[in-house]
Amino acid sequence: MNTYHGQMLTLGIFGQSHSKAIGMTLEGLPAGEKIDLEKLKRFLGRRAPGKNAWSTARRETDDADFVGGLVDGVLCGAPLCALICNADPRSGDYEALKKTPRPGHADFAAHEKFFGFNDVRGGGQFSGRLTAPLCIAGGVCLQLLEKEGIFVLSRALSIGGVWDEGELTSSTAQKDFPTVSDEAGARMRAVIEQARAQGDSVGGRIEVKVTGLPAGLGEPMFAGLENRLSQMLFAIPAVKGVEFGDGFALADQRGSEANDAFCLQNGRVSSPTNHMGGILGGISNGMELTLRLAVKPTPSIALEQKSVNLEDKTETSLIVGGRHDPCIVPRALPCAEAACAIVLYDALLKRRSELYGAK
Amino acid sequence: MNTYHGQMLTLGIFGQSHSKAIGMTLEGLPAGEKIDLEKLKRFLGRRAPGKNAWSTARRETDDADFVGGLVDGVLCGAPLCALICNADPRSGDYEALKKTPRPGHADFAAHEKFFGFNDVRGGGQFSGRLTAPLCIAGGVCLQLLEKEGIFVLSRALSIGGVWDEGELTSSTAQKDFPTVSDEAGARMRAVIEQARAQGDSVGGRIEVKVTGLPAGLGEPMFAGLENRLSQMLFAIPAVKGVEFGDGFALADQRGSEANDAFCLQNGRVSSPTNHMGGILGGISNGMELTLRLAVKPTPSIALEQKSVNLEDKTETSLIVGGRHDPCIVPRALPCAEAACAIVLYDALLKRRSELYGAK
Amino acid sequence: MNTYHGQMLTLGIFGQSHSKAIGMTLEGLPAGEKIDLEKLKRFLGRRAPGKNAWSTARRETDDADFVGGLVDGVLCGAPLCALICNADPRSGDYEALKKTPRPGHADFAAHEKFFGFNDVRGGGQFSGRLTAPLCIAGGVCLQLLEKEGIFVLSRALSIGGVWDEGELTSSTAQKDFPTVSDEAGARMRAVIEQARAQGDSVGGRIEVKVTGLPAGLGEPMFAGLENRLSQMLFAIPAVKGVEFGDGFALADQRGSEANDAFCLQNGRVSSPTNHMGGILGGISNGMELTLRLAVKPTPSIALEQKSVNLEDKTETSLIVGGRHDPCIVPRALPCAEAACAIVLYDALLKRRSELYGAK
Amino acid sequence: MNTYHGQMLTLGIFGQSHSKAIGMTLEGLPAGEKIDLEKLKRFLGRRAPGKNAWSTARRETDDADFVGGLVDGVLCGAPLCALICNADPRSGDYEALKKTPRPGHADFAAHEKFFGFNDVRGGGQFSGRLTAPLCIAGGVCLQLLEKEGIFVLSRALSIGGVWDEGELTSSTAQKDFPTVSDEAGARMRAVIEQARAQGDSVGGRIEVKVTGLPAGLGEPMFAGLENRLSQMLFAIPAVKGVEFGDGFALADQRGSEANDAFCLQNGRVSSPTNHMGGILGGISNGMELTLRLAVKPTPSIALEQKSVNLEDKTETSLIVGGRHDPCIVPRALPCAEAACAIVLYDALLKRRSELYGAK
């Protein structure tokens, strides 16, 4: 489903890579909040392609055109709806792919799902391009969270086997290439460039950290923050793993290590460690929320790959044309932030009902 | 939310660890299917405590009492509803915990969420005991999947740093201690016993594999199999990470490695590799579905731990009484199978509508 | 679906007329609220059968057994779950109905829906008995609404062609036979008794009025109060029509009559008329909410009726045995109040989030 | 909520009367179905204003611009998304209404709901104009239902107290003014013209009939056809009542009259009467589905009306400018058909899963 049903927010994403337009509707936002459209544009710019050596040469005009929900830049209570027009796609490039699915892409699964009627142009509705409207929705939520003192930060934790070093802070997120260590960032870029030169691609890890999050967000069992965040994060095409706090490393720890003991900090319940990533029982506990994502290498590579011809059922090979990102991690960072922001702002709006009632 | 909204199935879990009963309702199952209640009982037995050295000495009678949805063991179209009565809980043990939250447990988060009105007895609604009704729902779905030739297998992939070896097959799942290598299993049990003797606990990894799954299950974006499975799996209390296919290892691969090239096997589109774990674009592609879970060490340990007194806001320490599993992995295996079965059977029922329409 | 998805509340109803138990789960209620169980019992008593000449001689012990969600009578944040056990149903009475559907009942529709596997005993899941758990959920919501100064009143507006006279007030709702005019009530009872004596039944109209409702409840378009209330009210088996404000009478009015002009009352925006029943654009406007329901005559009558044998496909006739209400209106009144209370309390909880944010 | 969550279909409506565009997304439609865009345009033409004496002189270009979901006119599995651009609205007309709510409109309720931030231009998101995208969604569903032999018909049953005569058939729906009796239609038009000349408006009743509907559609309790249809139909702004089958007239019938006895017709279970309107227990029984709607008189009238000034809290009066329909019934007919089609096609897709499984 292209509709995400939060508790208070409902997000719909529509369009295909080469359809007339892509876009999003987001309903449930509070009326009266002003949206900074310039700030949103800068945020969308972080995801947009065509800027750097490590991203595709394609140029997309990803400006959000708001057709509903705003009056003079202020939310009016109607669903927020924004479009991004798809200008002049060269769909001809993709016609052969209708019968020859690209390895690592959704082509074959989509062909089975939709009985061959799926839109194959540019990956259709499975294209990474659909993260642009996700970033519009998330960019709006990020602004609204920031008004509450909640900040979502991210960095490239590893790319192509090269790891960043140091602690993620708000200053990292402002960087052009978002690593704590600029030296590690330089090595990552070299690994990306090397892969590109060889017609190949590399994957990596994304770290997300949320500061200022109050305790009490999230619901038990199926709508805990972990449940909701992972559900949302796997909507980003290349994500293949999600872990919270120490995540998979917890599998090798003992309870006496992993348990975050409680202490008092300025009269507030806190903990000297944060192995749990700020979530217990699905509910925020007032510590920083931390998570990491596994991002697979870009499936579109320039090397020849084996495939099958779905029409005449023969084995064949193909070369994926066009220019593609040799590493998707840098452009996936704002997507990850956006995804988290939508879930957390939804949880915050739900929490408001509880806090109001508790008074 | 204790309600899981699938596309065709709606699952509700209710009760607290020490309330009169816990239970589940599951609606959307097809009328006319016979449920093998003896087989279900055996499945629930795999999760039940009190059997082995590695599990708690508490004895719970986890028999499912079906109060609705069945007529002579056959689904009648009404919601399936089953109860498990909570016989004679010694709630007194837990009274002190109301003001002193246990590290690693949801106690503090729940206290904040529910303004101190949460049921603290035995962890209340956050208790691992709530996975018993999850297993009832999942056990029913497992039976219905098996009628379609779809099997959900699992094993302890690692415990306390000890890794299993070999390939998971259906024969593994039948074992008392579910590892492929019995030798590795013996070492895992030793690690568990050692932790127990030290008043500590260990975590581990669970591998799940699904065979016989047809292509075309799952929906794009927010309701893909990865989205839905992770949402469901994080409802199991100790799970802190989920990865599909090669998961986090994909972050270190190149596209030319990670992409599963297509080939023909007996005229059917297949692939010699399965790095993607059978899911692309959120949709099953006909390969085996594979995933792994990070399971944290049991938070209830016998060692003294630091906490705070929420009433008088002082730092204190506590010792968690009672007997607890030094490792939750073995009992979490059927929970993981159950969680996957619910999501997959839901997707299968949705797929039936598409297949019927496509004729 | 037996699950009602409000915005903040999720209600599940389970069980069949003759299954071991029926019951309900209600999640999303605020932790910390005390439930008056004696008051709830009195409310359920208004729906219970066997009290009067106009209701069935069957005796049902409709006491709610709370198995989850309460700690010492206080909501703890876990789903509220209550059971009503079905003691000793004489299911044998109904065996013949499996192949011979009763006119006016859901028997045939259910047979088609569930391919003959539906539970026919006592009407199965389509029995009016399932309104007992609806009344548990609604009775709780009524209590919580009353704490906010919101009261849901109802009366028998007409029965068997006899109409009540006068204005519905809170004192009416306390009466044993809830009409404003006792004389009209006496005539209604006579009509009911006459129908009963003839082996027949009569229908009627229910009026519901809600006082103290603030403006701003309900959502635009598909989740307006009219949309939500009608969706919920049609869950009461005999309801075949719903109208708000002047309802169908508006079809014969002119705009200049129907429009409720605005005025000021004690500095508050009000209106001297209330043709719209307190809802415009799906949203409460601060006036009293008024609605009326069409209740069909009880389908179970003692007269011989024509039916078909579904097995051998022949026309036949049947006599519905047992004792049944010759008029369901009096017992349907608390059901209507309950249904409204659930929807309105859900809307109130949603509104709290908006009010908190607006501060 | 502007999102309708069916079981298989999810519909989102966005935009305001004077925002850049209005539109709809509809997801869950089966891939591979061809949409006849010319036929859809004709259907939308029935709702469009500006054609006749009885409708507003405003001219709106209500052509649907599909930006996603179609490839060469064939559904591709991605959400169907269509826009209608709002060309050159003269918003200045409405500025004064921000502080002076129009009687009979949602202005005041919206002002309270959204704390004065609602879009007042042309009624904002509460405008009847939002039924245009509803008709796009419904028009598509009508086409898909017709392929299954299911037809949704409607007529003006009464306008301004003048009633149509005769039985609604498919030929009626083709008429320019959709009444069975042309003579009754002529009298209705005279009543409308008279109201218009007096600066007033009239209401009416709509009858909808659905032929070819198979048994087994709809779900018990909260998602029965009556529940779903009424929820959807109240999204049409002027609707204030819904009744099924004989509806409110059932309140005055006896059980022996109201019960539809079963008979055999060509070996198929049928009934000589249809008081229940084809729905029992919320589920279709194979008879024609019949319902009626109460449509209030257009609230926009040319006469002076009393209101209040929300800013300085004084009583005042206003005259609603512009040209408006003196009767909304004729243009509401396709809206009612559209609303029913969406619900019924959703139920049909759900039913396919059951039928596939039952094989």
Side-chain angles (χ1 to χ4, degrees):
Chain A
M1 308 235 296
N2 284 43
T3 307
Y4 173 78
H5 307 294
Q7 288 206 278
M8 314 295 284
L9 297 178
T10 303
L11 169 65
I13 303 279
F14 55 84
Q16 304 106 254
S17 183
H18 289 202
S19 67
K20 266 196 189 175
I22 56 178
M24 69 99 223
T25 58
L26 180 59
E27 73 166 313
L29 295 172
E33 297 279 5
K34 184 154 188 80
I35 306 302
D36 184 336
L37 295 175
E38 276 308 306
K39 190 174 180 179
L40 180 65
K41 193 172 182 173
R42 288 194 301 276
F43 178 71
L44 297 177
R46 287 178 53 204
R47 197 214 70 93
K51 299 179 307 182
N52 310 88
W54 59 84
S55 91
T56 168
R58 277 181 290 121
R59 286 226 149 262
E60 295 162 2
T61 54
D62 280 1
D63 284 349
D65 184 17
F66 286 92
V67 301
L70 285 180
V71 175
D72 300 332
V74 175
L75 294 168
C76 71
L80 191 66
C81 180
L83 298 177
I84 297 172
C85 283
N86 285 326
D88 189 27
R90 286 179 301 162
S91 296
D93 296 15
Y94 294 92
E95 199 51 42
L97 295 174
K98 188 141 193 172
K99 52 187 179 194
T100 319
R102 293 168 298 173
H105 278 283
D107 299 355
F108 176 66
H111 180 274
E112 296 299 292
K113 179 73 176 175
F114 299 119
F115 307 103
F117 293 103
N118 54 306
D119 187 349
V120 296
R121 300 168 299 163
Q125 65 172 309
F126 296 92
S127 165
R129 183 146 174 66
L130 272 290
T131 56
L134 186 76
C135 282
I136 297 174
V140 168
C141 290
L142 282 166
Q143 290 188 18
L144 297 172
L145 285 170
E146 289 180 11
K147 290 187 187 183
E148 312 287 327
I150 301 167
F151 295 85
V152 182
L153 316 172
S154 73
R155 68 156 151 182
L157 184 64
S158 88
I159 284 180
V162 179
W163 288 73
D164 190 23
E165 281 160 17
E167 191 79 8
L168 170 59
T169 62
S170 58
S171 62
T172 309
Q174 310 301 325
K175 294 187 184 178
D176 193 42
F177 195 91
T179 50
V180 176
S181 158
D182 292 335
E183 185 273 331
R187 279 191 291 135
M188 288 181 190
R189 282 198 295 268
V191 165
I192 295 173
E193 175 51 29
Q194 186 186 30
R196 195 197 57 73
Q198 295 170 353
D200 214 337
S201 64
V202 287
R205 289 170 185 79
I206 289 173
E207 185 187 44
V208 177
K209 182 185 284 190
V210 185
T211 65
L213 202 65
L217 269 57
E219 307 298 315
M221 286 218 97
F222 304 118
L225 292 184
E226 290 158 328
N227 310 256
R228 288 293 200 175
L229 285 166
S230 61
Q231 183 196 358
M232 178 62 86
L233 287 160
F234 279 114
I236 303 171
V239 171
K240 294 297 282 187
V242 176
E243 59 179 4
F244 295 89
D246 287 359
F248 278 89
L250 285 164
D252 302 325
Q253 293 178 18
R254 287 202 159 192
S256 54
E257 292 171 81
N259 288 351
D260 296 312
F262 292 104
C263 67
L264 287 173
Q265 275 191 339
N266 306 321
R268 198 172 141 275
V269 177
S270 184
S271 175
T273 60
N274 188 18
H275 300 287
M276 294 300 131
I279 307 174
L280 275 166
I283 295 167
S284 64
N285 64 4
M287 303 291 290
E288 285 183 348
L289 191 158
T290 62
L291 63 87
R292 276 173 303 282
L293 304 175
V295 179
K296 71 176 184 183
T298 320
S300 287
I301 56 176
L303 301 172
E304 183 171 318
Q305 296 179 86
K306 289 187 177 163
S307 182
V308 295
N309 183 314
L310 297 175
E311 267 179 24
D312 54 19
K313 293 273 179 180
T314 54
E315 297 191 338
T316 180
S317 68
L318 88 170
I319 290 180
V320 177
R323 288 286 298 274
H324 298 278
D325 288 10
C327 179
I328 203 70
V329 170
R331 290 179 57 203
L333 291 173
C335 302
E337 296 169 23
C340 292
I342 296 163
V343 169
L344 295 175
Y345 192 62
D346 181 51
L348 185 83
L349 291 177
K350 165 61 165 55
R351 180 64 173 163
R352 286 181 173 177
S353 174
E354 297 163 11
L355 291 169
Y356 183 90
K359 280 172 190 175
Chain B
M1 308 232 297
N2 284 42
T3 307
Y4 174 78
H5 308 294
Q7 289 208 276
M8 314 295 285
L9 298 176
T10 303
L11 168 66
I13 304 278
F14 55 84
Q16 303 105 256
S17 184
H18 288 204
S19 67
K20 267 196 188 175
I22 54 176
M24 68 100 224
T25 58
L26 180 59
E27 73 166 313
L29 295 171
E33 297 279 4
K34 186 157 187 76
I35 305 303
D36 184 336
L37 295 176
E38 275 309 307
K39 189 174 180 178
L40 179 64
K41 194 173 181 170
R42 287 195 301 276
F43 177 72
L44 296 177
R46 287 176 54 204
R47 196 214 71 93
K51 298 179 309 183
N52 311 88
W54 61 83
S55 92
T56 169
R58 278 180 291 121
R59 286 228 149 261
E60 295 163 1
T61 55
D62 281 359
D63 284 348
D65 184 17
F66 286 92
V67 302
L70 285 179
V71 175
D72 300 332
V74 175
L75 295 168
C76 72
L80 191 67
C81 179
L83 298 177
I84 298 172
C85 283
N86 285 327
D88 188 26
R90 287 178 299 162
S91 297
D93 296 15
Y94 295 92
E95 199 51 41
L97 295 175
K98 187 142 193 171
K99 52 186 178 196
T100 319
R102 295 167 296 174
H105 279 283
D107 298 356
F108 176 67
H111 180 274
E112 296 298 293
K113 178 75 176 173
F114 299 121
F115 308 101
F117 293 103
N118 54 306
D119 188 349
V120 297
R121 301 168 299 163
Q125 65 172 312
F126 297 91
S127 166
R129 183 146 175 64
L130 272 291
T131 56
L134 186 76
C135 281
I136 297 174
V140 167
C141 290
L142 281 166
Q143 290 188 19
L144 297 172
L145 284 171
E146 289 180 10
K147 290 187 185 182
E148 312 287 327
I150 301 167
F151 295 86
V152 181
L153 315 172
S154 73
R155 66 154 150 181
L157 183 65
S158 87
I159 284 180
V162 179
W163 287 73
D164 190 21
E165 282 160 15
E167 192 78 8
L168 170 59
T169 63
S170 58
S171 62
T172 308
Q174 310 300 324
K175 294 187 184 179
D176 194 42
F177 195 91
T179 49
V180 175
S181 158
D182 291 335
E183 186 273 333
R187 281 191 291 135
M188 288 181 191
R189 282 197 297 267
V191 165
I192 295 172
E193 176 51 29
Q194 186 186 28
R196 194 197 57 71
Q198 295 170 352
D200 214 337
S201 64
V202 287
R205 288 170 186 80
I206 288 174
E207 184 187 45
V208 177
K209 183 185 282 190
V210 185
T211 65
L213 201 65
L217 268 58
E219 307 298 316
M221 285 219 97
F222 304 117
L225 292 184
E226 290 158 328
N227 310 258
R228 287 292 199 176
L229 285 166
S230 60
Q231 183 196 358
M232 178 62 87
L233 287 160
F234 279 113
I236 304 171
V239 171
K240 293 296 282 187
V242 176
E243 58 179 5
F244 296 90
D246 288 359
F248 279 89
L250 285 165
D252 302 325
Q253 293 177 19
R254 288 203 158 191
S256 53
E257 292 172 80
N259 287 350
D260 296 312
F262 292 105
C263 66
L264 289 172
Q265 274 192 339
N266 307 320
R268 197 173 143 277
V269 177
S270 184
S271 175
T273 60
N274 188 18
H275 300 288
M276 294 301 129
I279 307 174
L280 275 165
I283 295 168
S284 65
N285 63 5
M287 303 292 289
E288 285 183 349
L289 191 159
T290 62
L291 63 87
R292 276 173 305 282
L293 303 175
V295 178
K296 72 175 182 182
T298 320
S300 287
I301 56 176
L303 302 171
E304 183 172 317
Q305 298 179 84
K306 290 188 177 160
S307 183
V308 295
N309 184 313
L310 297 175
E311 268 179 23
D312 55 18
K313 293 272 178 180
T314 54
E315 297 193 338
T316 181
S317 69
L318 88 171
I319 289 180
V320 178
R323 289 285 300 273
H324 300 278
D325 289 10
C327 180
I328 204 68
V329 170
R331 290 178 59 204
L333 291 172
C335 302
E337 295 169 22
C340 292
I342 295 163
V343 170
L344 294 175
Y345 192 60
D346 180 53
L348 186 81
L349 291 177
K350 165 60 166 56
R351 180 66 173 161
R352 284 181 175 178
S353 174
E354 297 163 10
L355 291 169
Y356 183 89
K359 277 171 192 175
Chain C
M1 309 233 298
N2 285 40
T3 307
Y4 174 78
H5 306 296
Q7 288 206 277
M8 313 295 285
L9 298 176
T10 303
L11 168 66
I13 303 278
F14 54 84
Q16 303 105 256
S17 184
H18 289 203
S19 67
K20 267 196 190 176
I22 56 177
M24 68 99 224
T25 58
L26 180 59
E27 74 166 312
L29 295 171
E33 297 279 5
K34 184 154 188 80
I35 305 303
D36 183 335
L37 295 175
E38 275 309 306
K39 189 174 180 178
L40 180 64
K41 193 173 182 172
R42 287 194 302 275
F43 177 71
L44 297 177
R46 287 176 54 203
R47 197 215 68 94
K51 299 179 308 181
N52 311 86
W54 61 85
S55 92
T56 170
R58 278 181 289 120
R59 285 228 149 261
E60 295 163 1
T61 54
D62 280 1
D63 284 349
D65 185 17
F66 286 92
V67 302
L70 285 179
V71 175
D72 300 332
V74 175
L75 295 169
C76 71
L80 190 67
C81 180
L83 298 176
I84 297 171
C85 283
N86 285 327
D88 188 27
R90 288 178 301 164
S91 297
D93 297 14
Y94 295 92
E95 199 50 42
L97 294 175
K98 186 141 194 172
K99 54 186 177 193
T100 318
R102 294 168 298 173
H105 278 283
D107 298 356
F108 176 67
H111 180 275
E112 296 298 293
K113 178 74 177 174
F114 299 119
F115 308 102
F117 292 104
N118 54 306
D119 187 349
V120 297
R121 301 169 300 163
Q125 65 171 311
F126 296 91
S127 165
R129 184 149 173 64
L130 271 291
T131 56
L134 186 75
C135 282
I136 297 173
V140 168
C141 290
L142 282 166
Q143 290 188 19
L144 296 172
L145 284 171
E146 289 180 11
K147 290 186 186 183
E148 311 288 327
I150 301 167
F151 295 86
V152 181
L153 316 172
S154 73
R155 67 156 151 181
L157 182 65
S158 87
I159 284 181
V162 179
W163 288 72
D164 190 21
E165 282 161 16
E167 192 78 8
L168 170 60
T169 63
S170 58
S171 62
T172 309
Q174 310 301 324
K175 293 187 186 179
D176 194 42
F177 194 91
T179 50
V180 175
S181 158
D182 292 335
E183 185 273 332
R187 282 191 289 138
M188 288 181 191
R189 283 197 295 268
V191 166
I192 295 172
E193 175 52 29
Q194 187 187 27
R196 195 199 56 71
Q198 295 171 353
D200 213 335
S201 63
V202 288
R205 289 170 185 80
I206 288 174
E207 186 188 43
V208 176
K209 183 185 283 190
V210 185
T211 65
L213 201 65
L217 269 60
E219 307 297 315
M221 284 218 96
F222 304 118
L225 292 184
E226 291 158 329
N227 311 256
R228 288 292 199 175
L229 284 167
S230 61
Q231 183 196 0
M232 177 62 86
L233 286 160
F234 279 114
I236 303 171
V239 172
K240 294 296 282 187
V242 176
E243 58 178 5
F244 296 88
D246 288 359
F248 279 90
L250 285 164
D252 302 326
Q253 292 178 16
R254 288 201 158 193
S256 52
E257 293 171 81
N259 287 352
D260 296 312
F262 292 105
C263 66
L264 289 173
Q265 276 191 339
N266 307 321
R268 197 173 142 276
V269 178
S270 184
S271 175
T273 60
N274 188 17
H275 300 289
M276 295 300 131
I279 307 173
L280 275 165
I283 295 168
S284 64
N285 64 5
M287 303 292 289
E288 286 184 346
L289 191 159
T290 62
L291 63 87
R292 277 173 304 281
L293 303 175
V295 179
K296 72 176 184 182
T298 321
S300 288
I301 56 177
L303 302 171
E304 183 172 318
Q305 297 180 84
K306 290 188 176 160
S307 183
V308 296
N309 184 313
L310 296 174
E311 267 179 24
D312 54 20
K313 293 273 180 177
T314 54
E315 297 192 338
T316 180
S317 67
L318 89 169
I319 289 179
V320 178
R323 288 286 299 274
H324 299 280
D325 288 11
C327 180
I328 203 70
V329 170
R331 290 178 59 205
L333 291 173
C335 302
E337 296 169 23
C340 292
I342 295 162
V343 169
L344 294 176
Y345 193 60
D346 180 52
L348 186 81
L349 291 176
K350 164 60 164 57
R351 181 64 174 163
R352 285 181 174 177
S353 174
E354 297 162 10
L355 291 169
Y356 183 89
K359 279 171 191 175
Chain D
M1 307 235 296
N2 284 42
T3 308
Y4 174 79
H5 306 295
Q7 289 206 278
M8 313 295 283
L9 297 177
T10 303
L11 168 65
I13 304 279
F14 55 83
Q16 303 106 256
S17 184
H18 289 202
S19 67
K20 265 197 191 175
I22 55 177
M24 69 98 224
T25 58
L26 180 59
E27 73 165 313
L29 295 171
E33 297 279 5
K34 184 156 189 76
I35 305 303
D36 184 335
L37 295 175
E38 275 307 308
K39 189 174 181 177
L40 179 65
K41 193 172 182 172
R42 287 194 300 277
F43 178 71
L44 297 177
R46 287 177 54 204
R47 197 214 69 93
K51 298 179 308 183
N52 312 88
W54 61 84
S55 91
T56 169
R58 277 181 289 122
R59 287 227 148 260
E60 295 164 0
T61 54
D62 280 1
D63 284 350
D65 184 18
F66 286 92
V67 302
L70 285 179
V71 175
D72 300 333
V74 175
L75 295 169
C76 72
L80 190 66
C81 180
L83 298 178
I84 297 173
C85 284
N86 284 327
D88 189 27
R90 286 179 300 162
S91 297
D93 297 15
Y94 295 91
E95 199 49 44
L97 296 174
K98 189 142 193 172
K99 51 187 178 193
T100 319
R102 294 167 298 173
H105 278 282
D107 298 355
F108 176 67
H111 180 274
E112 296 299 293
K113 180 73 176 174
F114 299 120
F115 307 102
F117 293 104
N118 54 304
D119 187 350
V120 296
R121 300 169 298 163
Q125 66 172 310
F126 296 91
S127 165
R129 183 145 174 67
L130 272 291
T131 57
L134 186 76
C135 282
I136 297 174
V140 167
C141 290
L142 281 166
Q143 290 188 18
L144 297 172
L145 284 170
E146 289 181 11
K147 289 187 185 181
E148 312 287 326
I150 300 167
F151 295 86
V152 181
L153 315 173
S154 73
R155 67 155 150 182
L157 183 63
S158 88
I159 284 180
V162 179
W163 288 72
D164 190 22
E165 281 161 16
E167 192 78 9
L168 170 60
T169 63
S170 58
S171 62
T172 308
Q174 310 302 324
K175 293 187 185 178
D176 193 42
F177 194 91
T179 51
V180 175
S181 158
D182 292 335
E183 185 273 333
R187 281 191 292 137
M188 288 181 191
R189 282 197 296 267
V191 165
I192 295 172
E193 175 52 29
Q194 186 186 28
R196 194 197 57 71
Q198 296 171 351
D200 214 336
S201 64
V202 287
R205 289 170 184 79
I206 288 173
E207 185 187 45
V208 177
K209 184 184 281 188
V210 185
T211 65
L213 202 66
L217 268 59
E219 307 296 314
M221 285 218 96
F222 304 117
L225 292 184
E226 290 158 328
N227 311 255
R228 287 293 199 175
L229 284 166
S230 61
Q231 183 196 358
M232 178 62 86
L233 286 160
F234 279 114
I236 303 171
V239 172
K240 292 297 283 186
V242 176
E243 59 180 4
F244 296 89
D246 287 0
F248 279 89
L250 286 164
D252 302 326
Q253 293 178 17
R254 288 201 157 193
S256 53
E257 292 171 81
N259 287 351
D260 297 311
F262 292 105
C263 66
L264 288 173
Q265 274 191 340
N266 308 321
R268 198 173 142 275
V269 177
S270 184
S271 176
T273 60
N274 188 19
H275 300 289
M276 294 301 130
I279 307 173
L280 275 165
I283 295 167
S284 65
N285 63 6
M287 303 291 290
E288 285 182 349
L289 190 159
T290 61
L291 63 87
R292 275 173 305 282
L293 304 175
V295 178
K296 73 175 182 184
T298 320
S300 288
I301 56 176
L303 302 171
E304 184 172 316
Q305 296 179 86
K306 290 187 177 161
S307 183
V308 296
N309 184 313
L310 297 174
E311 268 181 23
D312 54 19
K313 292 274 180 180
T314 54
E315 297 194 337
T316 180
S317 68
L318 89 170
I319 289 180
V320 178
R323 287 287 298 273
H324 299 278
D325 289 10
C327 180
I328 203 70
V329 171
R331 290 178 57 203
L333 291 172
C335 303
E337 296 169 23
C340 292
I342 296 162
V343 170
L344 294 175
Y345 192 61
D346 181 53
L348 185 83
L349 291 177
K350 165 61 166 56
R351 181 64 173 162
R352 284 181 174 177
S353 174
E354 297 163 10
L355 291 169
Y356 183 90
K359 279 171 190 176

